[in-house]
Amino acid sequence: MRTRLVLSAALSAAGLLSSASAATTLTVFMGSQQRPEIFQPLFDRFEAANPDIKVKIETGGATSEAQNQYLTTVLAARDDTLDIFLIDVVRTATFAAAGWAEPLNGYISGADAYLKSFLPGPVGAATYGGKLYAMPAFTDAQFLYYRKDLLTKYKAKVPTTWDELTATATRIQKGEGGKMQGFNFQGAPIEGTVCNFLETLWTGGGDASNVNSAAGRQGLNFLVNSVKSRLSPAASAEIKTDDSRQQFQAGDVAMGLNWSYAWAHFQGNSPQPTQVKGNVGVAALPSFGKNPSATCTGGWEWGVNAYGNHKKEAVKLLQFMSSVNIQREMAVKGAYLPVRKSLYSDPAVLAANPHFKALYPVILKARPRPVTPNYPKVSEIIRNNVSAAVAGSKTVDAALSDMQRDLSPLLK
């Protein structure tokens, strides 16, 4: 009898020990280029505050497209292995419509009030059908970068209209000679080209649902004529985002469009030498006439696997990652653009990133690209037609007509 009691007590103790040591493990997927080394210490802090939850990072895919391909394969199989995934802002609607991303409203008390402290662009990009399907992680936008030293030399102001940009950039280009580009943009069949076109469309008062319009014609003509007049490179239809960054950094561009990551490169935090350190300014994109400036919302968002087994714990981690303190640390240590409005006037953030003050008014007006499950096809239609027009292999009218024909059934 005594042996049986001892054995029972031992088993009970073992059971208690096992129960006490059991912890929920959240598996978080992000791309290999997403700098997991920045996130790991933050996850460690979450674990310390929540000892019953562990966080494991899984990395893969060097591009947004490669990561999306992997996640599509996993989630289409209803796999519950991943709990959280980091996705490009253009993916939210696709994941929501497919049933892969869990709607988050029901997990967040007072969701509407909670989200008011966030930038509207990232929240809009994370919302589909009136529901929040992702938590903004960090944001981005396209900006007008310009050479402060050249504007000073030619006694010119920062342009606020595309006509002013053309006139000022032309004057600088002629004065500098050589290989100086007046205006650099992305014209290759890539996502940056989609944004360049949408920005000229929006700043002309247009909308993606009606590209074959006066505003669409004005915007695309501006890009095409910049190449025809040699204000922009003849090879603009082949220029990708990082080509633009490297050409500006080499001192060959007076004004150009690019994302926030380019700033650090221009200031010397780059594999390539910089010729423009200390001479770069950043501003809102110009517009046509009296229309307001507009730019594309970029950045990344956290999604919760609809097939996962730890959704409540996953949302807890995401609220931690979007908290003021963590967003501040990401901005200070990683130069990530915060998704919370208050941090653009935060002393610690501005001490580490003085240019964030100039970026804030631009980011505040950032607009999401069309939020639709069909976005991959929408993107393909826009970028291919815009690139063809910039290359001169399609007329502006033909490109806009083809775009409208193919976009209309997708954007209903």
Side-chain angles (χ1 to χ4, degrees), residues 230-363:
R230 300 186 181 177
L231 184 67
S232 302
S236 290
E238 299 169 14
I239 289 180
K240 299 176 183 174
T241 303
D242 212 49
D243 300 329
S244 292
R245 188 270 299 175
Q246 292 186 47
Q247 290 168 18
F248 194 106
Q249 190 170 321
D252 298 333
V253 179
M255 301 183 199
L257 306 182
N258 219 314
W259 301 89
S260 65
Y261 87 104
W263 177 272
H265 286 274
F266 297 158
Q267 304 308 322
N269 183 15
S270 178
Q272 296 89 14
T274 180
Q275 303 298 320
V276 296
K277 183 177 181 179
N279 287 322
V280 181
V282 62
L285 270 58
S287 62
F288 290 105
K290 294 182 179 180
N291 288 298
S293 175
T295 184
C296 272
T297 297
W300 292 72
E301 299 174 333
W302 301 108
V304 173
N305 186 354
Y307 309 115
N309 299 311
H310 313 296
K311 296 171 188 173
K312 184 178 178 181
E313 295 86 348
V315 176
K316 189 174 186 179
L317 173 58
L318 299 196
Q319 288 190 271
F320 173 83
M321 292 301 294
S322 66
S323 67
V324 172
N325 288 340
I326 297 303
Q327 285 283 304
R328 179 187 294 113
E329 188 164 332
M330 288 174 62
V332 170
K333 294 186 177 178
Y336 287 103
L337 287 169
V339 296
R340 286 185 174 268
K341 292 182 276 193
S342 64
L343 290 173
Y344 288 87
S345 57
D346 184 272
V349 171
L350 292 179
N353 306 281
H355 62 296
F356 277 19
K357 187 173 183 179
L359 301 186
Y360 179 62
V362 183
I363 294 164

Side-chain angles (χ1 to χ4, degrees), residues 218-230:
Q218 178 178 238
L220 189 52
N221 264 320
F222 167 73
L223 298 177
V224 170
N225 288 337
S226 294
V227 177
K228 285 182 177 178
S229 67
R230 300 186 181 177

Side-chain angles (χ1 to χ4, degrees), residues 94 373-384 406-407 410:
T94 303
N374 298 314
Y375 186 76
K377 187 64 178 172
V378 168
S379 173
E380 181 184 347
I381 292 164
I382 295 175
R383 66 178 183 254
N384 288 344
D406 296 338
L407 287 175
L410 301 176

Side-chain angles (χ1 to χ4, degrees), residues 14-346:
L16 285 171
L17 182 63
S18 173
S19 175
S21 62
T24 297
T25 298
L26 296 175
T27 302
V28 179
F29 175 82
M30 63 178 63
S32 55
Q33 94 286 16
Q34 298 290 355
R35 299 161 75 192
E37 71 278 4
I38 296 288
F39 290 95
Q40 187 61 64
L42 304 177
F43 292 156
D44 291 344
R45 281 174 57 183
F46 176 80
E47 288 182 354
N50 300 274
D52 57 332
I53 305 176
K54 303 298 178 187
V55 183
K56 181 179 75 173
I57 296 177
E58 179 180 320
T59 59
T63 65
S64 171
E65 288 74 20
Q67 294 155 38
N68 185 60
Q69 186 175 15
Y70 171 73
L71 287 172
T72 297
T73 301
V74 170
L75 297 172
R78 297 176 173 250
D79 194 317
D80 64 1
T81 308
L82 303 177
D83 295 288
I84 296 168
F85 36 80
L86 195 59
I87 54 174
D88 194 314
V89 292
V90 298
R91 312 281 183 205
T92 309
T94 303
F95 279 53
W100 300 337
E102 179 78 1
L104 306 181
N105 301 73
Y107 297 88
I108 302 171
S109 178
D112 290 342
Y114 172 76
L115 292 170
K116 281 183 180 176
S117 60
F118 288 69
L119 293 164
V123 172
T127 303
Y128 177 68
K131 293 182 180 179
L132 187 73
Y133 278 93
M135 184 71 76
F138 52 91
T139 193
D140 205 351
Q142 284 197 330
F143 306 93
L144 175 68
Y145 288 99
Y146 60 91
R147 288 279 297 278
K148 293 191 296 184
D149 55 332
L150 293 177
L151 289 189
T152 299
K153 180 177 177 180
Y154 291 90
K155 296 181 173 58
K157 296 185 300 183
V158 178
T160 58
T161 69
W162 294 112
D163 287 344
E164 287 176 1
L165 181 146
T166 298
T168 301
T170 298
R171 187 152 57 94
I172 293 172
Q173 185 182 41
K174 287 179 179 177
E176 294 299 301
K179 58 180 181 177
M180 176 63 68
Q181 300 174 27
F183 174 58
N184 182 288
F185 67 95
Q186 294 89 58
I190 60 166
E191 195 61 33
T193 297
V194 175
C195 286
N196 285 183
F197 170 69
L198 289 176
E199 287 154 356
T200 60
L201 176 73
W202 292 335
T203 55
D207 185 81
S209 63
N210 186 19
V211 295
N212 194 15
S213 60
R217 198 162 292 105
Q218 178 178 238
L220 189 52
N221 264 320
F222 167 73
L223 298 177
V224 170
N225 288 337
S226 294
V227 177
K228 285 182 177 178
S229 67
R230 300 186 181 177
L231 184 67
S232 302
S236 290
E238 299 169 14
I239 289 180
K240 299 176 183 174
T241 303
D242 212 49
D243 300 329
S244 292
R245 188 270 299 175
Q246 292 186 47
Q247 290 168 18
F248 194 106
Q249 190 170 321
D252 298 333
V253 179
M255 301 183 199
L257 306 182
N258 219 314
W259 301 89
S260 65
Y261 87 104
W263 177 272
H265 286 274
F266 297 158
Q267 304 308 322
N269 183 15
S270 178
Q272 296 89 14
T274 180
Q275 303 298 320
V276 296
K277 183 177 181 179
N279 287 322
V280 181
V282 62
L285 270 58
S287 62
F288 290 105
K290 294 182 179 180
N291 288 298
S293 175
T295 184
C296 272
T297 297
W300 292 72
E301 299 174 333
W302 301 108
V304 173
N305 186 354
Y307 309 115
N309 299 311
H310 313 296
K311 296 171 188 173
K312 184 178 178 181
E313 295 86 348
V315 176
K316 189 174 186 179
L317 173 58
L318 299 196
Q319 288 190 271
F320 173 83
M321 292 301 294
S322 66
S323 67
V324 172
N325 288 340
I326 297 303
Q327 285 283 304
R328 179 187 294 113
E329 188 164 332
M330 288 174 62
V332 170
K333 294 186 177 178
Y336 287 103
L337 287 169
V339 296
R340 286 185 174 268
K341 292 182 276 193
S342 64
L343 290 173
Y344 288 87
S345 57
D346 184 272

